[in-house]
Each structure stands twice: as structure tokens, then as C-alpha cells.
């Protein structure tokens, strides 16, 4: 038997209903924040993700799904949403004559060759959004507000925004020098990957999973201590805005995020202080790096699958419908004919309806009524039908009423 590939999931039944509900909540919230929906291709030219996300990130070094297509083109499956959205932004030259920010959101499958575990998949979904055009810290605050409130609207109240700033180019360079000077004498105490990272991008050492708990990394200089005045003022202003909006945040001085494109704000959303349910930040240089013009931008992506897990772990009750409106039972062929067209009538008039497709005994059909948790059922009966009548029964109260078959829709409209 062929089984699903490692690190993928099938989404079915109740799980699919929960996801539909989550989508509805997120779509409605994005509408309130006036973000437009976007969908980019699942695969893009490899250089987009390699250059965009950064050659020094673990994501590009170890996790992208890269292959050649039949036309010998280098293709990469989308590992994250930001680079593709920036490609779209540039391709449509949206950086010209901007009078208002461009705000888009997505809900898309992503692909990373990671070691699968709970909350970490090879095919996973991100709900994310990007805001182009503003460098005002109020735009960082708007993005953090949308991310934070998305979790709260879903019923996850105990979320916290972990916040840090990497500063502008000058601050990051000063910090990089300080980090290099600090790490140089400690290199032998770090893993082989980190020795390589030291050569390519020393900042990436700070998100090494192997050395995470080592004293070398714990005592490393922190970006926040190297912010120039402008960057520090910007960071303080952002915190003021978050305070004004009553957003629960903590400054996490060690937070740097694993992708190369960030400057100034970086943030992650955590619940009960465990793994990141999502992350984002500002990336003022990416649009230009990918061929556009100077264009500030900021965004966020929610780990959708992790959020679904968190809903279950935190026992959030989700209003999903696990019943049907009506079940039609029958015995004879003519009763079955009625079930056939009546089921369609009911469905087209907005009622969820089931009937028997297995030619089961009446006793077994009654079991289906309960399995489907039907609110009403009708045992179609030739004698009643000859008089254009049916007997409809409330499955909870067991109250039965005889009505004209032509009044069925009206009856359900009134009673449901
Ligand atoms: P990221 O931190 O790589 O950022 O991913 C965002 C979120 O996606 C993570 O916090 C996590 O919840 C989820 N995630 C990542 N990898 C996996 C996986 N293998 N399985 C399940 N969930 C996963 C980005 O992707 C940036 N593009 C976010 C961003 C948008 N920054 C600016 N704009």
C-alpha cells in the first residue's frame, strides 16, 4: 500500500471543519484590517527563495525542495510566503506612485525538508500577511496587532508577542563586528555548522538549535545594546504603540529570527512560553534586493498547523456543526424515488440532508439517523405519500407531526 510522504498530513472530517472555521475567522479579521487576499505559485525560480530568504539561513542551506523541471529550469517549492509576495509586488511595479500602503494576506501551503515532529511538517500551511510602503513604527504595530488578535479571536488568550529589534544597517554592522570579536576565541566550542555560519553570516549562529543552550551563546552580545539612537527611538515608539493597544508583549533580547531579510523589528508569537506559533518582522531591503526599488515592508506568518494543535491543547471550543438537519428513511422503491428527489429539494433549499444509499434495512437506517445526529427524520411511507403527506419527527423530543409534503420546506424554515 502506498502511504503519505513523511511530514505530510491528510485533512479530513472534523479537522477540515475546524480549519474552515479558522479560515473564516482569519478572513473576516483581515477584511477588518483591510488586507487583500493573494495567492502566489507553489513553485518559483530557485533564485527567488535562495536570494530572498538568504543563502546563509538553515532554511535555504538544508530545507528547500529544489529540483530541475523538464525544461532544465531550477525550481524551488515555496518554503515561505514573503519572497513570492515581493516577487509579485516587483513584477507589477507596485513600488511606483504609491499613495497608500499595499496590504496583502495569504493562506498557502509551504514546503520545507525538516525532521518531522509534532507541529513541524514538510508540507504545512502558513497564514501570513505583508504590508508595503510604510516605515512608520505604527505599521509594525498594525502588523503585530493583526497577528496578536488573530490568535485571540480564535480563542487563544494566553499568547505573548516576543519582541526585539535588530536596528538599521549601521546598527546591524556595529553589532555584527561585536559578535564576530566575541565569537572568534570561542569558535572551537561551537558545532561544525556554526563554524561555517561564522564565515557566511555570524548572526545565524544565534539561532543554532545544537548550540542553543551553550554558555557561549547565552553570553553573546545582544543586538539591542548596539542600536544607534534612531533605531532605539524607533523601537521605543513601537513599544509605545503596543502599550496603547494593550498588546501583551515581552522584549526578548536574544530573538534574531532565522531568515536573513530582517532589519529593525523582529517578533514571534508564543503560547504558554512554548514553541513559536508564528513570526515576522520588518524587511526594508528585500524589495530592492529582489529587483525593485527602495521600499519598506513588514509582515508576519502564522504556523497554521501549530495553531490548530494549540487550539486542541488549550481545549478551545470550536463552533463546528457535527449534525445534519434531516434524514429520509424508506423501504419500497416508490418511497426511495421520493427520497431521491426530496433530498435534492431539501439540499437546494439550504438544509443538510442524508438518505440511504446502501438499501439498508429500516432498522439500520435508524442507526444512521443517530450516527449522523440528524435533527429531524422522515420515514417515507407509500400510504402517506398517496395523500401527499409525510410524518416528520423531531429526533430529540421524538414529537411527530403529519404535514403536507409541499409544506416541508416552510415547516423546517419555521422550526430550525
Ligand atoms: P518562519 O519563522 O520561517 O517565518 O515561519 C513562520 C511560522 O511558520 C513559524 O513560526 C512556524 O509557526 C511555522 N512553521 C515554520 N516551519 C514549519 C514547519 N516545518 N511545520 C509547521 N509549521 C512551520 C517566515 O516564514 C516568514 N516568511 C514570516 C514573515 C512574513 N516575515 C515577514 N513576513
Amino acid at each position: 500500500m502506498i502511504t503519505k510522504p513523511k511530514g505530510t498530513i491528510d485533512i479530513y472530517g472534523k479537522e477540515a471543519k475546524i480549519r474552515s472555521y479558522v479560515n473564516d475567522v482569519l478572513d473576516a479579521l483581515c477584511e477588518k484590517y483591510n488586507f487583500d487576499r493573494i495567492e502566489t505559485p507553489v513553485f518559483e525560480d530557485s533564485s527567488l527563495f535562495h536570494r530572498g530568504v538568504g543563502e546563509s539561513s538553515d532554511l535555504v542551506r538544508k530545507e528547500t525542495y529544489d529540483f530541475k523541471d523538464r525544461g532544465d529550469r531550477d525550481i524551488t517549492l515555496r518554503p515561505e510566503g514573503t519572497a513570492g509576495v515581493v516577487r509579485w509586488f516587483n513584477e507589477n511595479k507596485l513600488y511606483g506612485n504609491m499613495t497608500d500602503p499595499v496590504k496583502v494576506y495569504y493562506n498557502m501551503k509551504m514546503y520545507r525538508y525538516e525532521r518531522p515532529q509534532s507541529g513541524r511538517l514538510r508540507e504545512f500551511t502558513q497564514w501570513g500577511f505583508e504590508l508595503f510602503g510604510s516605515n512608520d513604527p505604527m505599521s509594525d504595530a498594525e502588523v503585530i496587532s493583526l497577528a496578536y488578535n488573530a490568535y485571540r479571536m480564535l480563542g487563544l488568550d494566553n499568547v505573548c508577542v516576543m519582541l526585539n529589534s535588530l536596528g538599521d544597517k549601521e546598527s546591524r554592522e556595529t553589532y555584527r563586528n561585536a559578535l564576530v570579536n566575541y565569537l572568534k576565541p570561542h569558535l572551537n566550542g561551537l558545532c561544525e555548522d556554526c563554524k561555517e555560519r561564522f564565515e557566511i553570516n555570524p548572526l545565524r549562529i544565534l539561532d543554532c538549535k545544537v548550540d542553543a543552550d551553550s554558555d557561549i551563546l547565552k553570553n553573546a552580545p545582544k543586538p539591542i545594546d548596539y542600536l544607534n539612537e534612531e533605531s532605539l527611538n524607533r523601537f521605543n515608539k513601537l513599544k509605545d504603540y503596543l502599550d496603547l493597544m494593550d498588546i501583551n508583549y515581552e522584549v526578548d533580547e536574544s530573538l534574531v529570527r532565522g531568515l536573513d531579510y530582517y532589519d529593525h523589528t523582529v517578533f514571534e508569537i508564543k503560547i504558554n512560553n512554548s514553541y513559536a506559533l508564528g513570526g515576522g518582522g520588518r524587511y526594508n531591503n528585500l524589495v530592492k534586493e529582489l529587483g525593485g526599488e527602495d521600499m519598506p515592508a513588514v509582515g508576519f506568518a502564522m504556523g497554521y498547523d501549530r495553531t490548530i494543535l494549540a487550539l486542541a491543547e488549550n481545549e478551545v471550543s470550536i463552533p463546528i456543526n457535527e449534525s445534519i438537519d434531516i434524514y429520509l428513511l424508506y423501504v419500497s422503491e416508490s418511497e426511495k424515488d421520493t427520497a431521491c428527489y426530496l433530498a435534492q429539494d431539501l439540499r437546494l433549499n439550504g438544509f443538510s440532508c442524508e438518505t440511504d444509499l446502501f438499501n439498508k434495512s429500516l432498522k439500520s437506517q435508524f442507526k444512521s439517523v443517530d450516527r449522523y445526529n440528524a435533527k429531524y427524520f422522515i420515514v417515507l411511507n407509500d400510504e402517506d405519500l398517496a395523500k401527499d403527506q409525510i410524518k416528520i419527527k423531531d429526533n430529540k423530543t421524538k414529537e411527530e407531526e403529519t404535514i403536507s409534503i409541499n409544506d416541508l420546506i416552510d415547516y423546517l424554515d419555521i422550526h430550525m
Side-chain angles (χ1 to χ4, degrees), residues 59 79-82 106 112 114 119-122 124-126 129-130 257 259 261-262 268 276-283 298-306:
L59 174 49
E80 60 98 53
T82 312
Y106 46 85
R112 296 186 190 178
E114 292 207 67
R120 187 179 294 165
L121 296 162
R122 290 184 176 171
F124 62 100
T125 302
Q126 277 185 351
F129 45 88
E130 316 291 346
R257 306 261 308 128
L259 314 178
Y261 47 61
Y262 293 114
E268 286 186 346
L277 287 183
R282 178 161 286 284
Y283 49 95
V298 56
F300 168 82
M302 166 193 282
Y304 189 99
D305 311 84
R306 288 183 189 185

Side-chain angles (χ1 to χ4, degrees), residues 321 323-327 346-347 349-353 372-378 392-396 401 403 407-416:
N321 187 4
S323 61
I324 61 164
D325 294 329
I326 188 156
Y327 193 99
L346 285 162
R347 289 163 178 162
N349 277 283
F351 299 100
S352 53
C353 173
Y372 282 120
N373 200 12
K375 292 180 193 121
Y376 289 90
F377 63 87
I378 298 170
I392 180 160
K393 200 160 179 171
D394 183 316
N395 196 21
K396 209 174 190 179
E401 279 192 66
I403 60 170
D407 292 339
L408 176 59
I409 303 293
D410 286 346
Y411 180 92
L412 289 173
D413 272 337
I414 292 166
H415 286 80
M416 299 225 354

Side-chain angles (χ1 to χ4, degrees), residues 106-323:
Y106 46 85
N107 191 337
M108 304 192 293
K109 288 267 164 78
M110 308 290 165
Y111 300 84
R112 296 186 190 178
Y113 193 80
E114 292 207 67
R115 188 175 306 147
Q117 48 183 269
S118 169
R120 187 179 294 165
L121 296 162
R122 290 184 176 171
E123 182 189 62
F124 62 100
T125 302
Q126 277 185 351
W127 170 77
F129 45 88
E130 316 291 346
L131 185 157
F132 297 93
S134 173
N135 193 31
D136 192 304
M138 198 160 100
S139 58
D140 305 47
E142 179 169 320
V143 161
I144 292 174
S145 153
L146 173 51
Y148 176 74
N149 286 312
Y151 294 99
R152 293 177 51 90
M153 294 294 268
L154 289 171
L156 295 168
D157 295 327
N158 43 347
V159 284
C160 183
V161 179
M162 311 309 290
L163 184 71
N164 200 13
S165 174
L166 306 177
D168 60 8
K169 198 164 179 238
E170 183 189 81
S171 310
R172 278 178 292 125
E173 262 164 30
T174 323
Y175 174 63
R176 187 192 154 105
N177 291 338
L179 187 65
V180 167
N181 289 338
Y182 167 80
L183 287 173
K184 226 181 229 161
H186 294 296
L187 271 188
N188 281 339
L190 295 175
C191 73
E192 286 309 307
D193 265 357
C194 278
K195 287 176 191 150
E196 222 177 286
R197 288 181 182 116
F198 184 79
E199 300 302 328
I200 319 169
N201 182 355
L203 196 69
R204 290 283 70 86
I205 294 179
L206 299 177
D207 40 58
C208 172
K209 284 160 198 137
V210 181
D211 291 325
D213 293 327
S214 77
D215 284 341
I216 303 177
L217 292 202
K218 279 187 190 150
N219 299 327
K222 308 278 185 265
I224 204 151
D225 295 324
Y226 296 83
L227 297 184
N228 58 20
E229 200 185 338
E230 211 183 319
S231 299
L232 189 60
N233 287 343
R234 191 184 189 288
F235 189 46
N236 287 334
K237 192 67 212 169
L238 169 60
K239 288 192 287 177
D240 289 346
Y241 287 133
L242 298 183
D243 287 334
L244 277 173
M245 290 190 285
D246 215 8
I247 288 175
N248 180 27
Y249 70 89
E250 257 175 49
V251 174
D252 176 356
E253 295 183 350
S254 333
L255 182 69
V256 290
R257 306 261 308 128
L259 314 178
D260 285 354
Y261 47 61
Y262 293 114
D263 56 3
H264 289 293
T265 312
V266 282
F267 70 101
E268 286 186 346
I269 300 218
K270 291 206 167 160
I271 186 159
N272 307 329
N273 258 333
S274 77
Y275 52 60
L277 287 183
R282 178 161 286 284
Y283 49 95
N284 284 352
N285 300 307
L286 187 59
V287 173
K288 191 163 188 191
E289 253 163 50
L290 292 176
E293 291 176 1
D294 259 335
M295 178 57 58
V298 56
F300 168 82
M302 166 193 282
Y304 189 99
D305 311 84
R306 288 183 189 185
T307 303
I308 299 284
L309 281 178
L311 291 174
E313 280 165 15
N314 290 273
E315 293 173 5
V316 175
S317 94
I318 309 271
I320 56 168
N321 187 4
E322 289 187 273
S323 61

Side-chain angles (χ1 to χ4, degrees), residues 11-31:
I11 299 160
Y12 161 80
K14 189 174 172 188
E15 166 106 17
K17 282 186 183 170
I18 291 174
R19 284 172 182 247
S20 293
Y21 165 79
V22 169
N23 290 349
D24 289 347
V25 171
L26 297 178
D27 283 351
L29 193 61
C30 281
E31 197 184 304

